């Protein structure tokens, strides 16, 4: 990332955000003008019969997206008064609004494009207020909107008697949709008090750690530690059922539980009985993607292993996964190369490929689905997938063999391109055996007693860490051209 994580990188990013978008392709029938779609959505809501509850996921709401993906099925992601609404922006980013229709407030995850975020919020409800920002990590494309929204809050405080915002309001009136007392949350590690990452453009004023519970009205978000992509990456787990029970009170401290409180005194015109059974939503930032995971920029393979185990332990299998980028197609191409016989990978790839052709988003996924097709979750030794281990490590071994051959010929360029952890000759079988032994014992492998220790001190935890390092290195080398995977050095590599 280098320059992009420096002040210079911030200004380059903001300059790029201001450049005009390419004209829409005439052949792309799925593209919808964002501003016009928002106006249509507002018209649809404003013409509802008197007494009908405000919609926070109308059939027209998905059309607001515009930038890189069309969103379908927003009605599937609301539970009683709560709704999750994605906000595509930039080339492939996603921000998210979590909206409480009865309180008419919202929290936003990574709203790095404030204009897009508040335009969508106004389309949901012209009187809604953005009350909190949940920042997953310090990278510009996730946190650079914080300072602008904080300034909007200051404007809102000075102009508190002004009329509510509408979708047609100019950018200068954006502050009308922002709560004057907006709270901006972020990791205490990524955004230390006085640190450079908390200068103007990031602006985090409430710091969290893994296990913290963030209260936004009655909405409850559990903070899940995901340190790997950055040292302070976090994920936010929203539980609609617990939020309905919590009421508008500050959470009590038990890190892994949501506190209960009294109901809000305001009488609601909308029934709170969930339209669908309440399902948790995990906002992962750049920690986990559909079919993949974020680069280990500031972490290690051991960190990635811990993130995967934490996610599987703390998030129900039916919990939705809402990632920070649209990377599904490339990720699944890579997964398909690793596991060509995995029917779940093949089916997911075909589905995402068809949706991508129509520019339809691949989000959300679920934890249960990711376990079936995401190699970073499947590499967990407790899953007992020795075929995947063998595929990853054999390819890593082939890369290293190619590197040694290139070095022997004096080809510095080829040797320098290799970034796979060295795997000693003969170690491959022992690593796979350690993983298989751990899975047969029901998920061992956390510590020296995890299995396989009789062979040169190798245990299942060491085996998993080695495999996660190899998997990440192979993914970083993975290239796609014309929709097909390319082998970088030899057919045996990918």
């Amino acid at each position: 990332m280098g320059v992009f994580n420096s002040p210079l990188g911030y200004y380059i990013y903001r300059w790029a955000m201001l450049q005009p978008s390419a004209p829409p392709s005439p052949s792309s029938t799925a593209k919808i003008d964002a501003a016009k779609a928002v106006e249509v959505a507002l018209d649809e809501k404003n013409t509802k019969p008197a007494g009908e509850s405000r919609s926070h996921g109308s059939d027209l709401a998905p059309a607001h997206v515009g930038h890189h993906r069309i969103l379908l099925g927003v009605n599937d992601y609301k539970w009683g008064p709560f709704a999750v609404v994605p906000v595509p922006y930039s080339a492939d980013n996603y921000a998210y609004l979590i909206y409480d229709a009865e309180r008419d407030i919202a929290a936003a995850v990574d709203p790095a494009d404030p204009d897009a975020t508040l335009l969508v919020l106004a389309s949901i409800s012209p009187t809604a207020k953005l009350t909190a920002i949940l920042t997953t990590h310090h990278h510009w494309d996730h946190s650079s909107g914080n300072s602008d929204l904080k300034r909007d809050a200051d404007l809102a405080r000075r102009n508190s008697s002004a009329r509510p915002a509408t979708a047609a309001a100019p950018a200068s009136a954006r502050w009308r949709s922002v709560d004057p007392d907006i709270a901006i949350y972020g990791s205490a590690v990524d955004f230390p008090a006085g640190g450079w990452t908390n200068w103007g453009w990031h602006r985090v004023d409430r710091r969290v750690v893994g296990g913290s519970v963030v209260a936004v009205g009655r909405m409850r978000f559990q903070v899940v530690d995901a340190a790997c992509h950055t040292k302070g990456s976090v994920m936010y787990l929203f539980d609609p059922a617990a939020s309905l029970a919590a009421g508008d009170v500050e959470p009590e401290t038990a890190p892994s539980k949501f506190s209960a409180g009294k109901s809000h005194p305001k009488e609601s015109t909308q029934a709170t009985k969930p339209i669908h059974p309440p399902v948790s939503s995990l906002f992962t930032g750049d920690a986990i993607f559909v079919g993949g995971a974020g680069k280990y920029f500031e972490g290690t393979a051991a960190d990635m292993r811990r993130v995967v185990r934490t996610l599987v332990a703390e998030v129900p299998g039916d919990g939705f996964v809402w990632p920070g980028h649209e990377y599904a197609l490339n990720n699944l191409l890579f997964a398909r190369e690793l596991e060509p016989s995995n029917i779940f990978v093949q089916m997911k790839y075909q589905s995402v490929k068809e949706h991508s052709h129509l520019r339809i988003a691949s989000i959300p996924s679920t934890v249960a689905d990711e376990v079936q097709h995401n190699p970073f979750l499947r590499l967990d030794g407790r899953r007992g997938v020795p075929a995947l281990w063998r595929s990853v490590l054999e390819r890593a071994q082939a890369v290293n063999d190619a590197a040694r051959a290139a070095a022997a010929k004096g080809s510095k360029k080829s040797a320098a391109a290799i970034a796979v952890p060295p795997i000693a000759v003969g170690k491959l079988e022992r690593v796979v055996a350690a993983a298989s032994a751990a899975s047969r014992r029901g998920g061992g492998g956390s510590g020296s007693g995890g299995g396989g220790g009789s062979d040169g001190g190798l245990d299942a935890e060491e085996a998993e860490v080695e495999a996660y390092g190899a998997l990440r290195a192979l993914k970083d080398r993975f290239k796609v051209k014309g929709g097909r995977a390319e082998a970088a050095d030899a057919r045996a590599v990918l």
Side-chain angles (χ1 to χ4, degrees), residues 135-138 143 186-193 197-198 202 204 207:
T135 312
T136 60
H137 62 291
H138 67 72
S143 64
S187 163
V189 177
D190 266 9
F191 303 98
T197 53
N198 202 40
H202 288 96
V204 164
R207 292 168 183 82

Side-chain angles (χ1 to χ4, degrees), residues 147-202:
S147 60
D148 288 347
L149 290 166
K150 190 68 171 179
R151 283 192 291 270
D152 290 339
D154 293 338
L155 283 171
R157 187 177 299 108
R158 293 197 296 269
N159 298 278
S160 57
S161 61
R163 60 183 176 81
T166 68
S172 59
R174 199 173 62 186
W175 53 268
R176 301 176 192 273
S177 293
V178 180
D179 190 310
D181 299 316
I182 191 170
I184 305 179
Y185 296 88
S187 163
V189 177
D190 266 9
F191 303 98
W196 73 268
T197 53
N198 202 40
W199 291 352
W201 49 83
H202 288 96

Side-chain angles (χ1 to χ4, degrees), residues 23 45 81 111 124 127 137 176 178 194 258 271 316 410 415 418 442 468 472 493:
K45 285 185 292 193
I124 297 170
T127 59
H137 62 291
R176 301 176 192 273
V178 180
F258 297 89
I418 307 302
Y468 271 110
R472 180 71 259 170
V493 176

Side-chain angles (χ1 to χ4, degrees), residues 25-374:
S25 167
S27 62
S28 198
T29 58
K31 294 183 182 178
I32 301 174
D33 180 74
K36 183 176 181 180
V38 169
E39 290 174 8
V40 172
L42 280 172
D43 289 341
E44 187 269 347
K45 285 185 292 193
N46 292 336
T47 55
K48 282 184 177 291
E52 186 169 347
S53 62
R54 174 171 55 244
S55 167
H56 57 278
S58 71
D59 292 337
L60 292 174
H64 61 65
V65 295
H67 279 292
H68 60 83
R69 283 295 186 270
I70 302 299
L71 299 171
L72 300 179
V74 168
N75 280 323
D76 295 334
Y77 312 118
K78 65 179 183 180
W79 306 270
F82 304 122
V84 174
V85 181
V87 183
Y89 67 94
S90 190
D92 51 38
N93 281 84
Y94 289 112
Y96 297 95
L97 287 166
I98 304 90
Y99 176 63
D100 183 341
E102 292 179 356
R103 304 296 187 264
D104 206 21
I105 62 173
V109 177
D110 291 347
D113 187 335
D115 288 328
T117 302
L118 295 180
L119 184 66
V120 172
L121 182 58
S123 79
I124 297 170
S125 167
T127 59
K129 294 292 185 184
L130 182 61
T131 305
I133 296 171
L134 310 178
T135 312
T136 60
H137 62 291
H138 67 72
H139 287 165
W140 306 116
D141 58 330
H142 295 261
S143 64
S144 62
N146 292 2
S147 60
D148 288 347
L149 290 166
K150 190 68 171 179
R151 283 192 291 270
D152 290 339
D154 293 338
L155 283 171
R157 187 177 299 108
R158 293 197 296 269
N159 298 278
S160 57
S161 61
R163 60 183 176 81
T166 68
S172 59
R174 199 173 62 186
W175 53 268
R176 301 176 192 273
S177 293
V178 180
D179 190 310
D181 299 316
I182 191 170
I184 305 179
Y185 296 88
S187 163
V189 177
D190 266 9
F191 303 98
W196 73 268
T197 53
N198 202 40
W199 291 352
W201 49 83
H202 288 96
R203 191 64 67 86
V204 164
D205 49 35
R206 301 195 185 186
R207 292 168 183 82
V208 297
V209 296
S212 299
V213 176
V214 173
V216 182
R218 61 181 170 181
M219 296 185 287
R220 295 293 184 267
F221 299 85
Q222 183 178 344
V223 180
V224 181
D225 181 21
C228 184
H229 185 68
T230 67
K231 291 181 180 178
S233 287
V234 295
M235 303 182 287
Y236 295 93
L237 178 63
F238 172 61
D239 186 336
S243 295
L244 277 173
D248 296 283
V249 295
E250 287 299 317
E252 298 173 15
T253 48
S256 296
K257 299 183 183 294
F258 297 89
S259 62
K262 297 181 180 179
S263 61
H264 195 279
K266 173 184 174 182
E267 291 295 329
S268 171
T269 59
Q270 179 169 342
T272 57
K273 182 179 179 181
I275 297 171
H276 304 291
V279 178
S280 298
S281 284
L282 182 69
F283 302 94
T284 60
D286 285 359
I288 298 292
F289 302 123
V290 176
K295 292 186 178 183
Y296 312 164
F297 282 128
E298 300 176 14
T300 64
D303 292 328
M304 188 71 247
R305 174 182 182 270
R306 178 185 49 76
V307 169
V308 167
R309 291 191 165 221
T310 300
L311 183 154
V312 173
E314 298 199 18
V315 184
D318 63 353
F320 288 119
V321 175
W322 301 93
H325 289 270
E326 181 59 67
Y327 290 161
L329 187 60
N330 183 281
N331 287 339
L332 290 164
L333 273 167
F334 177 65
R336 209 169 62 135
E337 293 292 321
L338 293 177
E339 291 190 279
S341 61
N342 184 334
I343 187 63
F344 297 104
V345 171
Q346 299 294 343
M347 291 172 62
K348 184 67 174 180
Y349 167 73
Q350 289 300 328
S351 173
V352 168
K353 181 181 178 181
E354 291 170 7
H355 283 122
S356 181
H357 179 71
L358 297 173
R359 301 188 70 212
I360 296 173
S362 67
I363 59 171
S365 184
T366 67
V367 173
D369 285 346
E370 290 303 303
V371 167
Q372 297 292 340
H373 61 244
N374 188 328

